[in-house]
Structures are given as C-alpha cells and as structure tokens.
Amino acid sequence: MNIEEAQTVQTDLLKIIAEGAGVAGIVNILAKATELPVVVTNEFYKVLGSSHEDYPRNSFVRSCINGTEKNPGLCQIKLEQSIKLAYVFPSYIKNETLGFLYIFSDASDRMDIKDFGKIASLVLTVQLTKDKELLLTEKRYVDAFLFDLLYGNIESGEDILARGELWGWDLSRPQCVLVFELDDYDYFTEDKNLLEILIESVRFVMKEMGEKPILTKKKGEVIAILFKTKGSKHEQREYMKLVVDKIQSLAQQRIPARVLRLGIGRIYENPNEIFRSYQEAKVALELGKLMHSRLRTPFFEYLGLARILYNHDRQELAELYQETLGELERYDSAHNTELMKTLENFLSHRCDLKETAKTSYIHPNTLRYRLKKIQEILDLDFDDFDTKLNLMVAFKIKHLKVSDIDE
C-alpha cells in the first residue's frame, strides 16, 4: 500500500465516524478495501461489527491464540473443528484495551493487511472511545434507576412505569428477578472481566429465545428482570428452567473454570414489588450454595421449609439439630456405621419400609433391625407424627450446613 492509498483509506474511515455509521461502517470500508472478512470486537471479544458469516454481531471470538514466532500479529482462531488465521490489531488508549480488529486471511505474511490494520486500529480507537463514553453516560442513569427499583426506593408504581418507559421497558407486565453469581468472585482480580462475559452470555441466550430482559450487574452479581410470557405457573417454571439451563451451558463453555450459581424470585404483578423478587432470588441463590445438588434450579417459591430455616437464628438451629440427631451422628462415628444415611433414606421415602429397602439394596429385615437400633439410640417412636417431622427438619438443617452444627 502506497502513501496515497493509505490516506484514502484513512479519509474514508474518518468520514464514516463523522457520518455516524459507527463500527459497522468501519467494517464495511475495510472489507471492501482488503476484500477479506473483517471482525471488530470489544475488549471481551464480543463481536460489535462483522463481515464474516461465521461471526455475526453479538457472538464471541473464542480460543484465540495470539501470534506466532514469525508473525506476532497473526492469530489462530478455533471455529468448531477448523482453525482460521486472522491478523489481529488491538485498539487501546492509555494502556486500556478497548477492542480488537480481526482481518481474516490464510496468507502468513501480508504487509498490505498490516498497513490497513495499523491505520484502521487508530481510527477504530476514536470510534470505540466515543461509543464507550455514550454507553457509560446512559448506563449511569439506568443503573441509578435499577438500584432504586431493586431496593424498593420508589414507592409510586406510576413513577416506576414512567421512568421505565424512558428505556422502552413495559414494567406493567408481571415479572420476576433472576440473580447469577460466579463462585469466589473477587472484584480486584480478572474476575470483573469474567462478569462481563457472564452478562453477555445471559443477554445472548435471552435474545436467542426471544426475550428482552432488563440486565444489570452489581458487585459480583448479574441481575435479570424477566417478564412473564407463559400462561400457567407450571409452563412458566419449565420455561425458566430451560432458559437457565441454556445460560449455565453457555457459561460453562465460556468460563469453564468457574461454578455459576443462581436464584429465582417469585413473579409479581405490581412493579413496586420487584424488590421483593430480587431479595427472594438472593435467598434462593444462597440456599442453592448451601444445599448443592439438591437444588439444581433454586426457585424461591419452591424452597418451602428451607427458606424459613435460612432466616432463623443459626445457633438455635444448630442446637435443634444436635438435640435431634446428634446422638445418632456420634454413634455412626464411633461404630463406623451409616445409620444416619439409613434414617434419611427412610424419611425421604415417606417411611415406606419396602421402598426404602429396595432403594438401599438391603433385605427388609435388615432395614427393620437398623430402624429399631435407631429408635433405641434416639429414644423415639417412628409412629409419632411430630417425631418424624422433627427428624425431617433436623436433616433439612444438616443440608443447610449451619456452621455451628459441628461444634
């Protein structure tokens, strides 16, 4: 590329910015000039503009291996079963990365592409800086409103509806809140970048399923206000489980080293009760952590007794557990038995002797002997309803992992 050609490309790119064509305009100019596929991403590799058929807008450029020994500007990008080559040009200002420009080519040493890329990355920096400033300004207003909404600081439902309309949100529709969180999140590390990937993953899945949720993030949380779209409660619940499963699957692909937690609040008709759904979602999330695999999709509405126990005094719960099951737990430890497991299995099968024996792979007489031993140790009668209720509550406390139990 000679100086005159370079100046022409630069002029065309600057015109695009002045005319407000944005990133998409920059991509079109470069794709025509190079006759190659061009992709622009943000700093988290989310596609902002693309002429590459395999990388539509809002998808992600993944598995990028930057550079080779001979050509540090060349990338290997894994796309399904194939590897694509692309020249990558970072766009940054004051050591802050704003995004990346990818020009796809199988040629390993194209000086003209490097020249195009160097010119375009400088112009792209101007555009991305402008976009980021506009986005941050709007985000400050949106975040302030959502903070007030999620913490119940707006009493008037009419005020909520009016302010929601400013951003095109119809908050008169029934809605619930979903909260997502990465385990062991630490804001002062690279985790804040992972949170960006998470919120983009939630947005991608929701959009794919035709949803237009309200999304925001706070500290280590990604918060989604999702509108009710199904007729019956059962249909809505199954649909939300499907949405959540898709989000968890995508997050596992994009952030494989971290565990994603979530909680779902109840659906409310009134917009000034959204804050209740948010608080419920956070409780469901915490209970999901405590109860692990027992709560694959923690809906606050279906937590039952666990949500009451969660808000109860921890010391009192620990004492109730010890008074009810402590003696049996100590017996198991001293005699290397599993009577605690036998009792829990018996209760979980509605005290059905035949079914419990079948699922435990033991003879009914063996089970009878063990149950008799348990009654002797705990000095209780399984025929008494209150006794069975107390035992079930004690096991629920055990699965809540109350910290004082071991003491």
Side-chain angles (χ1 to χ4, degrees):
M1 178 191 294
N2 58 41
I3 295 176
E4 188 175 325
E5 289 174 329
Q7 288 176 337
T8 300
V9 171
Q10 190 172 42
T11 300
D12 289 343
L13 291 172
L14 290 172
K15 278 183 182 179
I16 286 295
I17 293 178
E19 292 170 358
V23 171
I26 292 174
V27 167
N28 288 337
I29 290 291
L30 286 176
K32 288 178 182 178
T34 61
E35 297 182 345
L36 293 168
V38 175
V39 172
V40 171
T41 74
N42 66 8
E43 67 271 39
F44 304 110
Y45 306 102
K46 178 188 174 184
V47 177
L48 304 177
S50 172
S51 67
H52 196 303
E53 61 181 9
D54 293 320
Y55 286 105
R57 194 170 183 274
N58 293 324
S59 63
F60 282 80
V61 173
R62 301 189 193 94
S63 303
C64 180
I65 305 169
N66 287 320
T68 64
E69 287 185 10
K70 294 183 178 179
N71 197 334
L74 200 61
C75 281
Q76 294 179 354
I77 300 174
K78 186 177 180 182
L79 183 63
E80 295 180 352
Q81 302 301 318
S82 61
I83 298 291
K84 300 289 185 180
L85 293 178
Y87 289 83
V88 60
F89 304 91
S91 177
Y92 57 89
I93 186 169
K94 295 181 179 178
N95 295 322
E96 178 187 1
T97 301
L98 300 174
F100 299 92
L101 166 65
Y102 296 89
I103 302 177
F104 287 78
S105 172
D106 292 330
S108 61
D109 193 12
R110 286 274 303 271
M111 290 304 299
D112 57 331
I113 294 178
K114 292 181 180 180
D115 292 338
F116 273 119
K118 288 175 183 177
I119 294 169
S121 63
L122 292 173
V123 178
L124 184 61
T125 297
V126 176
Q127 182 64 50
L128 293 179
T129 301
K130 176 184 173 183
D131 290 347
K132 191 166 188 177
E133 287 173 354
L134 288 172
L135 190 63
L136 288 174
T137 300
E138 181 180 358
K139 188 175 180 299
R140 278 193 288 269
Y141 288 108
V142 171
D143 286 349
F145 169 60
L146 291 178
F147 179 88
D148 287 339
L149 187 65
L150 294 171
Y151 284 92
N153 295 335
I154 311 174
E155 294 183 3
S156 168
E158 291 182 0
D159 189 18
I160 292 174
L161 294 178
R163 291 175 65 178
E165 285 176 1
L166 293 173
W167 290 284
W169 302 331
D170 181 8
L171 295 173
S172 65
R173 299 160 59 194
Q175 64 274 305
C176 69
V177 176
L178 292 77
V179 176
F180 301 87
E181 180 183 276
L182 293 173
D183 253 7
D184 304 318
Y185 178 81
D186 185 352
Y187 177 82
F188 297 102
T189 66
E190 292 300 311
D191 282 6
K192 59 184 178 181
N193 295 340
L194 298 182
L195 199 66
E196 289 293 337
I197 295 174
L198 176 58
I199 196 170
E200 291 301 338
S201 299
V202 174
R203 182 178 285 113
F204 178 83
V205 170
M206 295 283 194
K207 183 178 180 182
E208 190 179 56
M209 299 192 72
E211 296 291 342
K212 295 181 180 179
I214 301 170
L215 291 177
T216 187
K217 63 181 188 293
K218 182 179 73 67
K219 295 182 180 177
E221 299 175 351
V222 169
I223 304 161
I225 299 175
L226 185 64
F227 297 98
K228 181 183 177 184
T229 56
K230 304 301 176 184
S232 70
K233 182 182 289 188
H234 175 73
E235 286 177 329
Q236 184 66 28
R237 183 189 182 196
E238 292 304 307
Y239 174 70
M240 290 174 67
K241 285 168 68 175
L242 176 63
V243 171
V244 164
D245 284 347
K246 286 180 175 289
I247 292 171
Q248 287 178 316
S249 177
L250 185 57
Q252 181 63 33
Q253 292 176 33
R254 294 178 175 176
I255 319 172
R258 304 300 285 273
V259 175
L260 177 64
R261 305 289 184 185
L262 70 128
I264 304 172
R266 287 183 289 193
I267 295 173
Y268 285 92
E269 304 279 339
N270 197 325
N272 54 13
E273 290 187 299
I274 291 175
F275 78 95
R276 298 185 190 280
S277 189
Y278 173 53
Q279 296 301 325
E280 291 166 358
K282 293 207 294 183
V283 170
L285 186 149
E286 290 301 320
L287 282 170
K289 285 183 186 177
L290 295 174
M291 300 178 75
H292 288 317
S293 59
R294 293 174 170 266
L295 289 175
R296 176 173 173 80
T297 307
F299 287 84
F300 180 84
E301 186 173 5
Y302 299 100
L303 291 175
L305 180 62
R307 75 193 199 203
I308 297 174
L309 295 175
Y310 177 76
N311 289 314
H312 205 75
D313 180 73
R314 290 291 192 268
Q315 180 62 35
E316 193 171 335
L317 291 180
E319 290 172 0
L320 175 60
Y321 173 82
Q322 289 294 345
E323 290 165 5
T324 309
L325 288 174
E327 196 65 38
L328 186 62
E329 191 173 56
R330 286 188 286 274
Y331 183 91
D332 270 351
S333 180
H335 296 85
N336 196 28
T337 54
E338 294 186 332
L339 296 181
M340 285 278 287
K341 183 178 179 180
T342 299
L343 177 55
E344 184 175 13
N345 198 19
F346 180 61
L347 292 169
S348 67
H349 287 89
R350 301 175 298 282
C351 300
D352 185 319
L353 190 76
K354 185 177 179 180
E355 188 65 25
T356 304
K358 181 180 177 181
T359 58
S360 301
Y361 303 103
I362 59 175
H363 194 277
N365 287 338
T366 304
L367 177 59
R368 287 190 183 94
Y369 170 78
R370 291 182 184 178
L371 292 174
K372 183 179 179 182
K373 186 67 177 177
I374 291 169
Q375 290 182 93
E376 291 174 359
I377 295 169
L378 297 179
D379 190 22
L380 48 74
D381 182 4
F382 286 147
D383 291 330
D384 181 67
F385 175 79
D386 288 337
T387 294
K388 288 187 282 190
L389 180 60
N390 288 340
L391 289 169
M392 287 188 286
V393 169
F395 275 111
K396 188 71 74 173
I397 293 171
K398 179 177 183 288
H399 292 301
L400 286 174
K401 298 194 298 186
V402 176
S403 58
D404 299 316
I405 281 180
D406 293 335
E407 298 174 10

